[in-house]
Amino acid sequence: MSIDNPRTTINKILDIKDSFPKKQRQLCDYILKNYQSIGLITVKELANNANVGISTVMRTLNALGYENFNDLRKDIYDESFPSESRWTLKNSITEIQKEEEEGKVPTLVQVWKESVNLLNKSLDSDLMQNFEKAIDIIEKSSFINVLGSRPYKATALYFEQLLGEFYFKIRQLSHDTEVIYDKILQFEKDEVLVVFAFEPYTNRVVEAVKLAYELGNSIILITDYISCPVISYASVTLKVEVSKEQFSVIPIIALIDALVIEIGKRSSEESIKKLKRLEKTLKEKNVLFSY
């Protein structure tokens, strides 16, 4: 049974947590920092995430006026979301709870949680510093060459497509790797190679990076592990997290989006002019639907 006024849950935790023993305060702090995701975890996961025992969780729940964890997370969700969407959210949480009790977690919830986890783990100080270095290299380059293989060819194509909307000095090398060495040998000194190299690493990508390095070109490496065989050739490395549980390119896509936005910001006037011209042309040629 929950406390009488569920809308005071967060405030109640804030008001009384400092009177709790150390481990219970630690749990309360975790709940306050992560209350928006509380509805998607079990008691065991909460205890593990907060680095406390399940007995600490139960003592804290009792001190807050709860008999079980399900009541607490329902009340916290009531506080966290607008009233007009609350009824659908409660139904969703109920279904999640049922499936958790049966030992199953819905695929969408599982994938969503893992994706958010990967994004949070990827964003660290090294990535932020190297991101700025990568932008500086791109800004000074005369041409951007992009390379990715196997499933990560898709991320290379996405980068080219997104950036190519307003930045025309970009060349895709992923389509025909049979002639990749021919193309690299034609690089000018101030051209940059952006390479997506993730396990399983391919020999063709490794050799292409080595050749570009030997020719004196800058290399921006986007990868998963510091054990990547071409990391020593990179001018700058952007490392993102990957999951052992599921295949996901979400951290890579987020990184690409950030790169494209920052490049656009640094060339904003010209970028906007090109995008407006493209939009006008697409409308005139009836490519874009309009009312």
Side-chain angles (χ1 to χ4, degrees), residues 25-209:
R25 288 201 309 273
Q26 183 175 315
L27 173 64
C28 288
D29 287 336
Y30 177 84
I31 292 173
L32 292 171
K33 289 178 182 177
N34 302 276
Y35 67 91
Q36 290 181 318
S37 62
I38 292 298
L40 301 178
I41 62 176
T42 63
V43 172
K44 185 177 179 181
E45 287 174 325
L46 175 62
N48 289 340
N49 293 346
N51 198 27
V52 300
I54 292 179
S55 59
T56 297
V57 175
M58 299 313 299
R59 284 197 299 272
T60 306
L61 289 175
N62 292 335
L64 292 171
Y66 290 92
E67 293 179 1
N68 59 70
F69 178 53
N70 286 346
D71 287 338
L72 171 70
R73 63 181 179 180
K74 284 179 184 177
D75 284 354
I76 287 180
Y77 259 71
D78 278 343
E79 293 181 42
S80 305
F81 288 84
S83 58
E84 60 268 19
S85 65
R86 202 170 295 138
W87 67 274
T88 53
L89 181 59
K90 283 185 176 179
N91 289 340
S92 300
I93 292 173
T94 301
E95 290 303 312
I96 291 170
Q97 290 168 356
K98 284 180 182 176
E99 299 210 8
E100 282 178 346
E101 289 165 4
E102 295 169 2
K104 297 181 294 183
V105 179
T107 300
L108 179 61
V109 172
Q110 184 178 348
V111 171
W112 215 270
K113 284 174 63 180
E114 182 63 12
S115 297
V116 171
N117 181 47
L118 290 174
L119 285 169
N120 289 335
K121 288 169 69 176
S122 295
L123 187 61
D124 58 18
S125 58
D126 285 341
L127 181 62
M128 293 182 71
Q129 290 174 7
N130 289 336
F131 177 86
E132 294 298 325
K133 293 177 184 177
I135 293 294
D136 289 340
I137 291 172
I138 288 173
E139 196 174 23
K140 295 172 184 174
S141 66
S142 64
F143 231 92
I144 301 173
N145 299 275
V146 189
L147 175 63
S149 65
R150 298 181 65 82
Y152 299 98
K153 176 180 177 180
T155 58
L157 297 177
Y158 177 68
F159 181 48
E160 177 201 19
Q161 180 67 37
L162 204 60
L163 185 57
E165 292 286 321
F166 62 88
Y167 189 96
F168 303 135
K169 297 182 293 183
I170 185 167
R171 183 186 297 118
Q172 184 62 248
L173 305 181
S174 308
H175 292 304
D176 190 0
T177 55
E178 292 294 328
V179 295
I180 191 169
Y181 305 129
D182 310 52
K183 294 179 179 178
I184 292 174
L185 287 170
Q186 296 172 28
F187 284 4
E188 299 293 336
K189 286 290 185 183
D190 57 353
E191 292 188 29
V192 61
L193 174 63
V194 177
V195 59
F196 296 82
F198 290 77
E199 286 190 333
Y201 310 111
T202 62
N203 287 325
R204 188 149 291 174
V205 167
V206 171
E207 293 304 319
V209 170

Side-chain angles (χ1 to χ4, degrees), residues 226-242:
I226 57 173
S227 58
C228 175
V230 296
I231 201 163
S232 60
Y233 302 108
S235 308
V236 61
T237 299
L238 302 173
K239 190 181 82 65
V240 297
E241 292 291 325
V242 291

Side-chain angles (χ1 to χ4, degrees), residues 214-248:
E214 289 166 1
L215 293 173
N217 293 102
S218 295
I219 296 160
I220 296 173
L221 172 64
I222 299 173
T223 191
D224 45 6
Y225 299 113
I226 57 173
S227 58
C228 175
V230 296
I231 201 163
S232 60
Y233 302 108
S235 308
V236 61
T237 299
L238 302 173
K239 190 181 82 65
V240 297
E241 292 291 325
V242 291
S243 173
K244 295 179 181 178
E245 306 298 324
Q246 67 185 44
F247 175 76
S248 175

